[in-house]
Amino acid sequence: MQGVKLPVSVKCEINVLLVLVTALGFFTRLYGIQFPKSVVFDEVYYGQFVSLYMRRVFFIDESGPPFGHMLLALGGYFGDFDGNFIWNRIGAEYTSNVPVWTLRLIPALAGSLCVPLGYLLMVELGYSHYSALGASLLLLMENSLVVQSRFMLLESVLIFFLLLAVLSYLRFYNASKSSLFRWLWLFLAGAGCAFAVGVKYMGLFTYLLLLSLAAVHTWHIIGEKTLSNGKVVVQVVVRFLALVVLPVMLYLGFFYIHLTLLYRSGPHDQMMSSAFQASLEGGLARITQGQPLEVAYGSQVTLRSASSKPLPCWLHSHKANYPIRYENGRGSSHQQQVTCYPFKDVNNWWIIKDPGRQSLVVSRPPRAVRHGDIIQLLHGMTSRFLNTHDVAAPMSPHSQEVSGYIDFNVSMPVQNLWKVDITNRESDRDVWKTILSEVRLIHVNTSAVLKLSGVSLPDWGFRQLEVVGDKIYKGYQQSGVWNVEEHRYGTSHEQKERELELKSPTHDDISRNLTFMAKFIELQWKMLTVKNEESEHKYSSLPLEWITMDTNIAYWLHPSSNAQIHLMGNIVICTLANVALFVYVLLFLTYLIRRRRKIEDIPEACWKQLVLAGVVCSGGWAVNYLPFFLMEKTLFLYHYLPALTFQILQIPVVVEHLYTHMLRSSSQQKAFGGVILAALCSVYLCYRTFSPLTYGQPELTAEQLAKMRWRESWDILFRKR
Amino acid sequence: MEDSSVEATYTQRHSCSNVTVRSRRTCTKEKDREKQRAAVPEGHRVPLLSHTNTQDVNGTPVKRQSNNVPLCPLLCVAALSFCTRFFRLTQPPHVCWDETHFGKMGSYYINRTFFFDVHPPLGKMLIGLAGYLTGYDGTFPFIKPGDKYEHHNYWGMRGFCAVLGSCLPPFAFLVVLDLSHSTSAALIAASLLIFDTGCITLSQYILLDPILMFFIMGAVLSMVKFNQQRFRPFSWSWCLWLLLTGVNLSGSLGVKFVGLFVIILVGINTAWDLWRLLGNLHLSLVDFAKHLIARIFGLIILPLFLYTTIFAVHFIVLNRSGPGDGFFSSAFQSRLIGNNLHNATMPEYLAYGSIITVKNLRIAGGYLHSHWHLYPEGVGAHQQQVTAYMHKDYNNLWLVKRPDSDDDTGTPELVRHGDIIQLEHKETTRNLHSHLHEAPLTKKHLQVTGYGINGTGDTNDLWKVEVCGGKKGDPVKVLRSKVRFLHRTTGCVLYSSGKTLPKWGWEQAEVTCSPYLKETPNSQWNIEDHINPKMPNISLHVLKPSFLEILLESHIVMIRGNSGLKPKDNEVNSKPWHWPINYQGLRFSGVNETEYRVYLLGNPVIWWLNLFSLALFLVMVSVCSIALQRGAKLEGAKRAHCQVLMEGGGMLCLGWLLHYLPFYAMGRILYYHHYFPAMLFSSMLTGITLDTLLQNADLLFNPAVSKYILRGGQTVLLGGILYRELYLSPCAASTCSALSPMA
């Protein structure tokens, strides 16, 4: 630098081509996005989360991290959406309070910006502006990308961030080594990765690809002997900060915002632990306000199973005995049933009693129950002791039956002592704490553990869940762990008073705050482990069907006419992309082997450029596509779109390479140019042909629709007239 | 990514290969080691080598090999490992853990009864053979763990497994010796395996694991030996090791599918080797092609041939109907003596008036079934149940009827693709029926019932027959056609979801009518039994599947069976991360405190040492490779150590990863003993890592001290392992939970 020259001048270069494709992108994606004014396909799914964000109600969605949902909700926020819409049916008309335009705006903007990003990416990979123009035109005219961008769906946002991350990294890599500005690009790449992962977990694979690319580049820097050790360390550390630390921080940030925004209790509360629920406004916090913290002898408690499989439930008993004989002829003790009940009920209350004393009230001062103490548990409403003995449980015969003890004088002695074992204790004299302590109840006589077996009882047990004593309990199992959820110190001596007391709500107020990290870890863990039921869907498909675009998804059908919107790919583009990928692999392998034998067909720089383009395009395609073969969840065509985007970018790479290196004479080049032009025209024609199914208008007749069914496997809807 | 560094290695190798061609006849041990180290790109060692090897003229490769291996330690290792494995081999004299499966399957081979198992047959065949040779007659039923053997000859089968298990430490010794050229490293690795309680326990019973591990180690050993022969291509020892590698690969895959991982390891090694050869410009393309063809033959064709041979033997030996029949398709069953499809005759094409059984094409799918029981109140309509039932039964019989006419005069007419038929249940005379009620378990599907009396029902009893891949008018072939039944009025397809009905449905499988018309095996059926007196019978001999078809089907059934082994909700499930830290063992035998108890648990000292060494290895390799990448000048011995770490250690580390990581992606139920193949690699890696660390102690201390550290470290290591071993053994007699089998 030679100091600043005066006067300050601003040079402005505008790439007209870039501006043009961007404008076209906006036009194709944004044109009439408020049509149709009804719920389209997965909007029904994402919409409910937008509503919950608007109402600040806590939810948990195992399909992805919250950043994508938050972006959609941002659209709702701009449109002053109040969240009052029932998202239950695809095709339901939106009411006037739903700001359709703003809700769909953000995905559409992201989708439009993918077009110039594709252009820039090509330029950054070192290809000509013609190739870049070609890439962006192909992206522009891919029907499936257009459809996916025009509704309140997340794929276009994901693709946008993926392209952004890759582009920024390449900018960083290509920038001159001296400029400080290039580090900004590196950090932008890290941020882009974090955003992509934050939208969908699928982004993780592209992130890993980028990380490995960066690792290889870093390794070269380490090998550069002209650099001093200190400089190398700085380079490595900055890359680490930008590509590892920053994304992790951002990812945590999404959850921080998510948890800060959603402070009210809601429909998914029950999946979370009691401590988590208590941190939400309303819900459990309202019930558990001001419970005493330490469980003492004489405490009245409800015990919730830590396992939420199959349902979250509370230890329960009622005035009904086990049948003398079960259907299969096995006998029972005929004592009172003990079950696990998934609803709040007065019969869920148990009283903790000291075996050495008669008192059922809390003494002053309260004597806390500690880890290792022996207790009895008395059922509040029926005054039966929790008991287990060597009788096979009704549904799980290898475990012991758990009962409320009734003395029938049949030489079945009372065995109602339980040892308290706090699993998350910090010391061996820990006090049993409401909500926070996770407790195992170990039977003193048989060392069986009180456990939720997960099986429903038949009609005689009112289809409640079975509770058993498990003698061969090993390791840590959630089903054997309980925590005190509702709790109060018992004060009434008489049974009648006690019943009244049990029926009255609990009172007082102490707030229990979990730290953010504790909440984050619990939420993240639940998101990764909660499994939705395997559901088949009419439009679900297999990864193999995607490459050939053998499948489509009907997104929307006009309630009365034949107008409809389908997610279906542009077949011409798809075929071209497959061919390009195949040719690329062929070229790559040929060059690789010939280079190994020291036969250099193309200059070194050109080879490097080809490899880099392959890593980004083919690699991007592979990491976004192949993992689906290992996934067991229900898959849809839209899962393929990120992979397809990268695959499309492969086309100009191959075309330009063939054009410059394979074709020797100018006449051949001219002919090839003609082929390219023809291909582009057919792409446009295909796009035009299917645009009624992409934009949902104009309405087509049944004959026209039938003509569009190019593939047998396509499912186009015909309305019966 | 290809870059300039590859080019650099190329030029160096160029000079190197020149040398190695001339250095074929190196003889003495010391020089040989030097050569091994120098075989890799290393400019400054070259003069030394070319200087030395001119002196030698004699010495055959075989002698060289035997000179190379220090015999005394090897014999010690072998003797010790046999002693530990055979000590109290016949104890306990009852069935332990999975002996109940593999012992039983060994008996099946002796009795020639067909059975089904999720693993390929080689391991069980060998067990059966060992039993047969040692006088076991196959009569012991192996019903459940804990059954006393009494007079049955079970020692032969256990002894066989123990012999194979005893080969592991010597194999490990040789592998590490070849990779590191250091006897102490080899001794560390071997002693880790000799004294590991887990390895001992696993080798003492009738299990597949000792056999599997034998083949895995065998494959690794032959691969390493083969790599050593790389400077003498096409010599007979080169060919021998190549073929042995192939044999061992087919063996390991033939025992369990886990053998696939070692195949990948060998595959990667071979690919790398070929790549190296391709870069050697002194090798003509013809020579390269020879190399390539030799490897394709030795590592692909030969193993494939052996593997199919194993299956051929399996199918030839097991020719009687047995407990495995139901898992296989109708065609498959027809080749088993004693099965009702064996040598059966029946009409070839389905006709009206036939009585048939209909089998679902899902693997282990049942027969379409109905019985005199109604769906309970509240489960759809209160009509007769229709289910899928695995076993053969009179209630599986259905009558095919034409809906419009009842006359059954004249020649019977064939049922064709697109025809509308009724299916009448033979025993109860109700028609197969479906309607707009939700199915009992799969709520999105429709209920299927038996409806009507004496075969008269309503329009909801009409089903359209479709032959998969057929067109209108095609006849329906018995056994061979895949048929779908589409419900006429609702358009749904007859479907077996595979879910088990509750008590009221006798725990048979649910049958529904699915509105999703995708062709899946769940919605495809075949006609198995077919009785029609008016039609000419043909022999089903023509249906007998070819060997390739059987091979393919048995693999599909095995793979499905394997992934079907899902952990039940309440079962204690072992997780992959439990394994390296020895979190939880496996109980082999003994529930009560009085009984003889055997518990599979690794020696904690060894396992933690392995884990620690893995971390240490990573650190050392990173330091090494960064130093090399930064162009640090390393002197001879250090450079050689780096080489051992990065090549030998890298290979073993890759082996460990390949045998460990895939378990994280597996959905099936996992057990602790799945880790043992990985543990072999990890132990060998420990040998190399610790030895290199001790040898390089002079980086921190002065030479005299470091020599003491080297000796001291080796002693402490052995002492620690032995101490723990001896400490664990008496513990078994008391109530301690970690019981070794030495008690």
Side-chain angles (χ1 to χ4, degrees), chain B residues 324-343:
Chain B
D325 294 11
F327 289 92
F328 290 87
S329 69
S330 317
F332 191 98
Q333 295 178 27
S334 69
R335 40 172 299 283
L336 297 170
I337 301 172
N339 192 291
N340 64 340
L341 289 175
H342 184 68
N343 285 341

Side-chain angles (χ1 to χ4, degrees), chain B residues 86-112:
Chain B
F86 275 90
F87 182 67
R88 304 190 69 174
L89 178 69
T90 51
Q91 293 290 331
H94 57 240
V95 177
C96 288
W97 194 52
D98 269 359
E99 284 190 344
T100 176
H101 298 303
F102 301 123
K104 196 190 306 173
M105 291 165 186
S107 312
Y108 282 139
Y109 280 104
I110 296 175
N111 300 330
R112 311 194 65 178

